[in-house]
Amino acid sequence: MILSKIKSTLVAAAIGVCSVAAQQPDNLAALDGNVNFIVANDLGRNGYYDQKPIAELMGTVAEQIDPEAVLALGDTHHFDGVQSISDPLWMTNYELIYSHPDLMIEWCAILGNHEYRGNSQAVLDYANVSRRWSIPSRYYARTWDDDGISVKVVFLDTTPLIEKYHKKTDTYPDVYKQDAEAQLKWLDETLSAATEDWVVVVGHHPIYAYTTKPDTERADMQKNVDTILKKHRVDMYICGHIHNFQHIRHNGSNIDYVVNSSGSLSRDVEPTEGTQFCSGASGFSVLSATGKSLSLYMIDNNGNIIHTITRNK
């Protein structure tokens, strides 16, 4: 077994830690709330790098906390997406890698920028093939309820919300076809109507983060998305794209902005404005809700909880 107990530990500088705020649960069961999710993204490397061992670790976690779903936050397929529902990458990036019995649950997916490099509609259509792959539309919302505790997760399609992708029609052929204004209107209306105990918005691209990627990506997300999130009762915004762990609090906002690391190949990171924690480790996260708290646990590829974010009522 890859992991029988989760240990808290200082994370070595070699993997690029900026700060450490680790929990000390005795075992994985300590992560178990009323409503639980595994958060994973930037996965598809045909099993190479850390993808296979992290997939096994995800299965071990799922076996003990019984998550409602995996929140799959984009770039399941590197580098050019998939061409069809029968593309072999569905096997080598996904089905044969995440084969643990306790990962045979619903995977609530969104599109990343790499999916848009291929046939993005095939990513939606694969839900008609796989019993666990779930993406009813390019953006959507779901509510989970257990013992009277409710969590709304709002799933965004962030690539069309960033201007640079619209200009690269040869590389991202499906982006210009999407109506960004319609999505933003829907987001505002969906959050206005939210009455759940906890409200989490997820997307592929960050709003605030340290990254060497163009500043225009974050600027567009801040203008288009963050202005809406700040208007409403949003607890967390969780994304991927950057391939490392980051937790940021921004002046003028009560939202916890989370970057979830890659489940296969990670990158170095440095602190930026508002950084509460960052780590260049690969891994995934667990999101857990009770009536009194919403917690996100960042878990590295060695099974250590390296940072915890907790919001209390």
Side-chain angles (χ1 to χ4, degrees):
M1 180 178 290
I2 293 177
L3 182 68
S4 59
K5 291 187 177 181
I6 282 192
K7 310 177 297 293
S8 285
T9 185
L10 293 178
V11 182
I15 59 172
V17 167
C18 303
S19 63
V20 172
Q23 292 274 34
Q24 296 186 18
D26 290 334
N27 54 48
L28 285 165
L31 280 63
D32 194 4
N34 294 84
V35 181
N36 304 309
F37 306 95
I38 288 176
V39 184
N41 48 266
D42 299 279
L43 303 174
R45 300 281 177 169
N46 288 313
Y48 282 79
Y49 306 100
D50 290 333
Q51 190 180 12
K52 284 183 179 179
I54 288 174
E56 289 298 313
L57 181 58
M58 286 170 57
T60 300
V61 171
E63 186 176 1
Q64 297 194 42
I65 69 169
D66 191 22
E68 308 291 333
V70 175
L71 308 183
L73 305 189
D75 285 3
T76 303
H77 302 288
H78 289 87
F79 292 89
D80 293 323
V82 291
Q83 293 304 308
S84 69
I85 59 174
S86 58
D87 193 312
L89 289 177
W90 285 110
M91 293 293 111
T92 58
N93 277 336
Y94 178 56
E95 297 288 3
L96 299 178
I97 305 298
Y98 302 97
S99 57
H100 191 286
D102 287 273
L103 294 178
M104 298 299 158
I105 57 176
E106 190 172 26
W107 285 56
C108 296
I110 56 176
L111 298 163
N113 55 297
H114 282 282
E115 276 84 10
Y116 268 106
R117 293 174 71 100
N119 180 354
S120 63
Q121 182 60 44
V123 180
L124 280 71
D125 293 343
Y126 192 68
N128 298 321
V129 175
S130 170
R131 63 182 297 176
R132 58 176 173 160
W133 187 257
S134 177
I135 178 169
S137 57
R138 292 172 189 265
Y139 51 90
Y140 59 100
R142 290 279 305 274
T143 295
W144 285 267
D145 189 296
D146 185 83
D147 291 336
I149 308 304
S150 57
V151 180
K152 177 180 281 295
V153 181
V154 179
F155 298 82
L156 297 183
D157 182 18
T158 56
T159 304
L161 304 179
I162 296 171
E163 182 63 27
K164 75 169 192 177
Y165 294 112
H166 288 263
K167 299 176 180 179
K168 298 180 179 180
T169 56
D170 55 336
T171 308
Y172 301 95
D174 292 344
V175 173
Y176 80 95
K177 304 173 186 177
Q178 311 310 317
D179 188 339
E181 290 303 318
Q183 181 178 180
L184 294 172
K185 181 175 184 291
W186 169 88
L187 173 62
D188 193 19
E189 292 172 349
T190 299
L191 293 177
S192 294
T195 59
E196 289 78 3
D197 297 306
W198 304 102
V199 179
V200 176
V201 179
V202 300
H204 183 66
H205 291 81
I207 296 174
Y208 302 101
Y210 166 84
T211 176
T212 58
K213 294 180 182 295
D215 292 342
T216 55
E217 290 188 11
R218 270 94 58 224
D220 285 350
M221 289 292 292
Q222 290 161 21
K223 178 183 69 175
N224 293 329
V225 177
D226 200 37
T227 52
I228 298 174
L229 302 190
K230 288 177 179 176
K231 285 175 54 180
H232 301 288
R233 192 176 56 86
V234 173
D235 294 293
M236 288 186 188
Y237 176 77
I238 308 172
C239 68
H241 190 52
I242 308 300
H243 293 226
N244 46 50
F245 287 114
Q246 299 186 53
H247 172 206
I248 292 173
R249 295 298 300 268
H250 193 262
N251 288 336
S253 176
N254 192 40
I255 299 167
D256 285 291
Y257 300 92
V258 178
V259 178
N260 189 53
S261 189
S262 168
S264 56
L265 181 63
S266 62
R267 301 185 181 119
D268 291 337
V269 63
E270 299 174 8
T272 189
E273 182 181 357
T275 296
Q276 307 299 301
F277 173 85
C278 59
S279 167
S282 56
F284 62 98
S285 292
V286 168
L287 183 66
S288 180
T290 69
K292 295 182 178 180
S293 65
L294 177 70
S295 296
L296 183 134
Y297 304 91
M298 296 178 177
I299 302 175
D300 72 8
N301 60 326
N302 293 314
N304 301 310
I305 298 176
I306 57 174
H307 183 63
T308 299
I309 304 165
T310 298
R311 298 176 67 90
N312 296 307
K313 286 195 180 294

